[in-house]
Amino acid sequence: RAEFNLPANEVKLMTYDKDTYFNNLSRTFKLQEYINLRFADTEFTRATPNNREVYGVRLLQEYYSTTYGDIGYLFLLVDLSNGKPLIHVRAWQPDEVDLDKLMGMKDLRL
């Protein structure tokens, strides 16, 4: 379980089980005529030097759909230890955030 090293006023924690997350995603896809996603500036960080199975992944995400668009940074904490990728943390921040304040492994206690 990961905990955040961030001030409480900077974090909005939302927890979904897998079924709820995919139902919400499915509803979003059904309501849009199109969704265009572009990813750039991908950065991978190993959780610890000895742990080759847990990674932080940060990337720039450009999202445009029929009714909405934004640009921001996506951070994922991905665990590869059980044969299937498991995302423990998914965080999004708008691109107006200073680069040194972007979510990363430094902001988690594992």
Side-chain angles (χ1 to χ4, degrees), residues 38-61:
R38 180 177 175 271
F39 301 108
D41 301 335
T42 306
E43 176 184 300
F44 295 88
T45 306
R46 192 174 294 148
T48 63
N50 300 330
N51 190 336
R52 296 183 176 262
E53 297 178 334
V54 178
Y55 291 87
V57 181
R58 185 170 62 203
L59 46 95
L60 179 65
Q61 173 186 285

Side-chain angles (χ1 to χ4, degrees), residues 12-97:
K12 179 179 178 183
L13 182 61
M14 300 183 319
T15 304
Y16 299 106
D17 63 31
K18 184 177 178 180
D19 289 338
T20 302
Y21 182 81
F22 280 111
N23 285 336
N24 292 345
L25 197 59
S26 177
R27 186 173 44 250
T28 298
F29 285 131
K30 287 178 185 175
L31 295 173
Q32 302 300 319
E33 182 179 330
Y34 71 88
I35 294 176
N36 185 1
L37 282 171
R38 180 177 175 271
F39 301 108
D41 301 335
T42 306
E43 176 184 300
F44 295 88
T45 306
R46 192 174 294 148
T48 63
N50 300 330
N51 190 336
R52 296 183 176 262
E53 297 178 334
V54 178
Y55 291 87
V57 181
R58 185 170 62 203
L59 46 95
L60 179 65
Q61 173 186 285
E62 296 178 17
Y63 177 100
Y64 299 99
S65 71
T66 312
T67 60
Y68 178 76
D70 65 34
I71 299 174
Y73 287 90
L74 183 62
F75 174 81
L76 304 170
L77 179 64
V78 182
D79 184 345
L80 304 172
S81 64
N82 291 323
K84 293 183 180 179
L86 175 63
I87 298 172
H88 291 285
V89 174
R90 179 189 177 278
W92 184 89
Q93 294 171 282
D95 68 337
E96 295 90 21
V97 172

